Every structure is written in structure tokens, then in C-alpha cells.
């Protein structure tokens, strides 16, 4: 285990993902990371911060007032949930036959999940 830890920290230079860095508002670091990854792969990259800003304007993601976007895990989850649309779930209950089939599947799946959790709990109990 210690050997793997050693290799991870001292042999392999793991780069932050440019997507992650851009999501945190660290565009300069994202561009540098993209250039490093391209160099490692024997390629060249002409990406610049200006390209990122231009793309942001094209997709309408820029804040006009210059405020930073909240990138905390809670804020990201809330943004994702605000886009959730339940219309695709309603289709599972569109007809009486679909509603019955969906309900039966949900019940069986729930029972299976409970059973597997109980089996895990029992196996942990017997390991003690």
C-alpha cells in the first residue's frame, strides 16, 4: 500500500482536470493544465484564456455583473436539481398497465435493496 502511495505522489504527476479548474473560475490554471497534458501526449495546444472567455460568451454562461459563480458542492447540486423535469417519469404511469408494471418493479427493487443491505449487515455482524 505504501508503495502505491509513493508512486502516486512522487512518480506520477497527476494534473487537475481543466474542466474542474474552469468550474472553479481558475481559467489561467486550466489553460496551463491543458498545455501540460498536450505536451505529455506529444501534441501542442493553442488554447488561450481568450478562447475560454469567448466560448463562455457564446454559450451565455458569463455573468454580466462580474460576480463569481458559487462553485460549492451544495450550489452545484441545487443548480442541477433546478433543471430537473419529471415529465419523463410521468410517462411510466401514463396507462394503468404501465403504472402497475412500474409500481411492481419499484416494490421488487426496493425489497431487493433491503434484502441485500440486511445480508451485508449480517455478514459484518458475523465477521466481528
Amino acid at each position: 500500500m505504501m508503495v502505491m502511495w509513493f508512486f502516486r505522489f512522487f512518480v506520477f504527476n497527476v494534473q487537475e482536470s481543466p474542466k474542474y479548474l474552469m468550474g472553479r473560475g481558475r481559467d489561467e490554471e486550466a489553460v496551463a493544465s491543458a498545455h501540460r497534458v498536450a505536451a505529455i501526449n506529444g501534441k501542442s495546444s493553442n488554447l488561450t484564456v481568450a478562447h475560454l472567455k469567448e466560448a463562455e460568451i457564446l454559450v451565455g454562461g458569463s455573468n454580466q455583473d462580474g460576480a463569481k459563480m458559487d462553485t460549492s458542492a451544495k450550489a452545484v447540486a441545487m443548480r442541477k436539481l433546478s433543471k430537473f423535469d419529471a415529465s419523463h417519469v410521468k410517462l411510466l404511469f401514463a396507462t394503468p398497465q404501465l403504472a402497475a408494471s412500474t409500481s411492481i418493479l419499484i416494490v421488487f427493487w426496493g425489497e431487493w435493496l433491503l434484502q441485500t443491505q440486511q445480508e451485508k449487515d449480517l455478514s459484518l455482524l458475523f465477521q466481528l
Side-chain angles (χ1 to χ4, degrees):
M1 184 59 113
M2 290 299 288
V3 173
M4 296 300 288
W5 178 85
F6 176 82
F7 276 108
R8 161 55 185 94
F9 282 101
F10 297 109
V11 175
F12 297 111
N13 186 10
V14 179
Q15 302 292 321
E16 287 284 0
S17 161
K19 181 179 178 181
Y20 170 80
L21 293 169
M22 286 185 299
R24 299 288 183 209
R26 297 160 47 188
D27 292 343
E28 294 83 14
E29 293 176 57
V31 170
S33 178
H35 288 294
R36 281 191 302 272
V37 170
I40 290 169
N41 290 312
K43 304 288 182 182
S44 63
S45 172
N46 61 357
L47 182 67
T48 63
V49 175
H51 288 130
L52 293 180
K53 298 295 182 191
E54 184 179 324
E56 185 178 26
I57 291 169
L58 287 175
V59 296
S62 66
N63 293 331
Q64 301 301 335
D65 57 0
K68 287 269 187 188
M69 180 182 287
D70 185 6
T71 57
S72 66
K74 182 179 178 183
V76 170
M78 293 306 291
R79 279 195 302 274
K80 294 284 185 186
L81 286 175
S82 69
K83 296 177 187 175
F84 180 72
D85 181 20
S87 63
H88 60 282
V89 176
K90 290 179 186 176
L91 293 175
L92 294 172
F93 298 92
T95 66
Q97 186 176 1
L98 275 174
S101 297
T102 302
S103 300
I104 290 170
L105 280 173
I106 290 171
V107 168
F108 283 148
W109 185 49
E111 286 293 322
W112 177 78
L113 285 175
L114 286 174
Q115 182 180 4
T116 55
Q117 185 61 45
Q118 289 172 351
E119 289 172 0
K120 287 180 187 177
D121 292 344
L122 286 174
S123 68
L124 288 175
L125 182 65
F126 287 121
Q127 285 179 357
L128 298 175

